């Protein structure tokens, strides 16, 4: 897939990291149903490879599906087998080069200019500024855009709706959002999807998804 083009088109990456595999899969499906086209399933979640495989089967072959927290070559090979078609790393690590060997595009975690250069040399096609809030927020992103005007940046970490708008206005190609969007939806176990607490959680997830998508649309309208 053309990851930079997808990031430019959708501007939002949802990060699903759950303690319950069934809940994580429901979360992925619900986000996509609401229009959040780019979803990353973190390997730090329970049975994440199974979640990725089931999500791929449920979403079909053409839906973008990412795997996050890919650190090693074994991680890259495993998520490729599971059906991920893009990789997200928390750092410039072995997983970047291994994913590129498998022809998977990489959103690589960076914080400093030196790490950005290293990630570009390793083959990453977009940079995840992580943790973005601790790195300095939108002001830091603007500073990075000076020496790296053509590098696609995706801030991740502490990105709520207010921060999402600020980062996008500061030049971010997209933003990555975990708990401010997903909440505890990927942790809520239930015997059936009809369980009242699950439905309430999914309703709240849908509402948050619509709010974040509204921010993305508003930024696009302001820029036009």
């Amino acid at each position: 897939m053309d990851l930079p083009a997808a990031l430019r088109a959708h501007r939002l990456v949802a990060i699903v990291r759950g303690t319950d595999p069934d809940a994580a899969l429901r979360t992925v499906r619900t986000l996509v149903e609401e229009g959040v086209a780019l979803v990353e399933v973190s390997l730090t979640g329970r049975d994440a490879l199974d979640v990725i495989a089931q999500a791929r089967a449920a979403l079909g072959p053409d839906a973008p599906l990412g795997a996050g927290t890919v650190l090693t070559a074994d991680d890259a090979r495993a998520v490729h087998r599971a059906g991920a078609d893009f990789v997200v790393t928390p750092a410039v690590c072995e997983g970047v080069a291994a994913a590129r060997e498998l022809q998977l595009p990489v959103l690589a975690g960076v914080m400093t200019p030196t790490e950005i250069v290293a990630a570009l040399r390793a083959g990453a096609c977009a940079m995840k500024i992580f943790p973005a809030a601790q790195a300095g927020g939108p002001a830091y992103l603007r500073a990075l855009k000076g020496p790296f005007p053509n590098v696609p940046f995706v801030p991740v970490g502490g990105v709520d709706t207010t921060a999402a708008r600020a980062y996008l206005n500061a030049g971010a190609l997209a933003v990555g959002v975990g708990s401010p969007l997903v909440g505890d939806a990927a942790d809520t176990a239930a015997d059936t999807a009809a369980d009242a607490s699950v439905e309430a959680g999914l309703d709240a997830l849908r509402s948050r998804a619509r709010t974040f998508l509204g921010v993305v649309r508003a930024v696009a309208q302001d820029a036009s």
Side-chain angles (χ1 to χ4, degrees):
M1 65 175 293
D2 186 338
L3 182 57
L7 292 168
R8 186 177 298 107
H10 301 294
R11 312 298 303 275
L12 176 65
V13 182
I15 302 165
V16 175
R17 180 184 294 106
T19 58
D20 182 87
D22 291 337
L25 179 60
R26 285 196 302 271
T27 299
V28 172
R29 296 183 67 170
T30 300
L31 287 165
V32 173
E33 289 167 2
E34 286 300 321
V36 180
L38 298 178
V39 180
E40 161 200 340
V41 178
S42 172
L43 290 186
T44 57
R46 182 181 167 194
D47 295 337
L49 290 172
D50 287 340
V51 174
I52 293 170
Q54 292 183 60
R56 170 54 67 212
L59 300 176
D62 298 325
L65 181 62
T69 325
V70 173
L71 286 165
T72 68
D74 285 344
D75 289 341
R77 288 189 286 267
V79 302
H80 183 254
R81 288 193 299 270
D85 52 12
F86 69 93
V87 159
V88 185
T89 73
V92 183
C93 54
E94 184 183 59
V96 177
R100 293 305 301 130
E101 289 175 3
L102 295 165
Q103 298 186 334
L104 293 173
V106 178
L107 173 58
V110 299
M111 184 178 278
T112 68
T114 300
E115 291 171 349
I116 293 168
V117 171
L120 290 169
R121 287 175 175 169
C125 62
M127 304 296 133
K128 178 177 87 169
I129 303 176
F130 176 80
Q134 286 73 18
Y140 185 62
L141 171 61
R142 289 191 185 92
L144 289 176
K145 293 290 288 183
F148 302 106
N150 299 316
V151 171
F153 288 112
V154 181
V156 177
V159 180
D160 58 14
T161 53
T162 300
R165 183 186 295 270
Y167 283 121
L168 293 171
N169 284 331
L173 188 63
V175 291
V177 187
S179 56
L181 169 56
V182 174
D184 63 355
D187 303 315
T188 306
D191 292 331
T192 68
D195 181 271
S197 63
V198 171
E199 284 304 310
L202 292 177
D203 285 344
L205 174 63
R206 293 183 185 101
S207 177
R208 292 191 296 271
R210 292 167 192 160
T211 299
F212 272 95
L213 289 169
V215 168
V216 169
R217 286 192 294 270
V219 171
Q221 290 171 356
D222 291 345
S224 62

